[in-house]
Amino acid sequence: QADMAALALLQSILGGGSAALATPGAGTTTRLATQVVKQSPYVESCAAFNTSYSDAGLFGVYGVCQPDKAGEMCTGITKALAGLKTVSKDELAKAKAMLKGNLFRQMDDDSALMQDMGTQLLLSGRYGSPTDFAKAIDAASASDVSAAAKKLLSGRPTVASFGDTHSVPHYGAIEAALRA
């Protein structure tokens, strides 16, 4: 659970944002919101995602923007990802509070609770309560989160783009920027 907590915290730190949605609690102070969405009127939305499977996982970022600004958006996303190697105590505390708040809020939704229980049983053969995961979140240190980011960024990234991709940086440039 420690690795899952660290990755969930990375997702919370990155967060996301939408040019059309800026309500309280919508992650408007997260890295992707401040470093990507708010930096360009051409970025419609950008967010981190994290999905766990029984033997692996998928962590990523998606973004939607005007085609001729895709390069700028990719550069911003790459910088935000590479910056995860360093996390301040304040940023970690905020991410922990946001993640635990979302975790407990979702448990008020019967459908979300059943999906969470089913997913956990399929992945691990057991169910851990939200309180158990909240303890794992609280136990995660800045060095745990930074170590998870370094491990995540040391692998080869998968890059996908759709539409007019002429301004999207070359794969090698993205890979090098993530390892810098």
Side-chain angles (χ1 to χ4, degrees), residues 97-180:
M98 287 174 45
L99 183 57
K100 290 188 301 182
N102 288 336
L103 175 70
F104 289 124
R105 231 180 344 273
Q106 287 176 352
M107 294 304 104
D108 287 338
D109 178 355
D110 291 341
S111 176
L113 179 60
M114 291 296 112
Q115 181 178 353
D116 181 51
M117 291 173 86
T119 300
Q120 286 189 48
L121 289 170
L122 287 171
L123 293 179
S124 67
R126 69 176 200 84
Y127 173 68
S129 71
T131 303
D132 293 338
F133 195 59
K135 288 178 185 174
I137 292 167
D138 284 333
S141 67
S143 62
D144 295 333
V145 174
S146 292
K150 288 173 186 170
K151 182 178 178 182
L152 181 77
L153 295 170
S154 69
R156 296 198 65 199
T158 299
V159 179
S161 57
F162 178 77
D164 182 358
T165 61
H166 75 278
S167 68
V168 175
H170 186 272
Y171 177 86
I174 294 171
E175 185 177 30
L178 290 174
R179 293 190 183 192

Side-chain angles (χ1 to χ4, degrees), residues 40-126:
S40 173
Y42 303 102
V43 176
E44 183 181 313
S45 63
C46 183
F49 58 87
N50 178 28
T51 304
S52 298
Y53 301 102
S54 62
D55 60 347
L58 179 64
F59 187 97
V61 175
Y62 80 87
V64 179
C65 71
Q66 295 295 316
D68 59 333
K69 300 299 180 180
E72 293 172 25
M73 183 182 71
C74 285
T75 299
I77 290 171
T78 303
K79 285 180 182 176
L81 283 166
L84 288 174
K85 295 172 191 166
T86 306
V87 176
S88 72
K89 288 181 182 181
D90 289 343
E91 191 174 32
L92 181 60
K94 183 175 74 171
K96 286 180 177 186
M98 287 174 45
L99 183 57
K100 290 188 301 182
N102 288 336
L103 175 70
F104 289 124
R105 231 180 344 273
Q106 287 176 352
M107 294 304 104
D108 287 338
D109 178 355
D110 291 341
S111 176
L113 179 60
M114 291 296 112
Q115 181 178 353
D116 181 51
M117 291 173 86
T119 300
Q120 286 189 48
L121 289 170
L122 287 171
L123 293 179
S124 67
R126 69 176 200 84

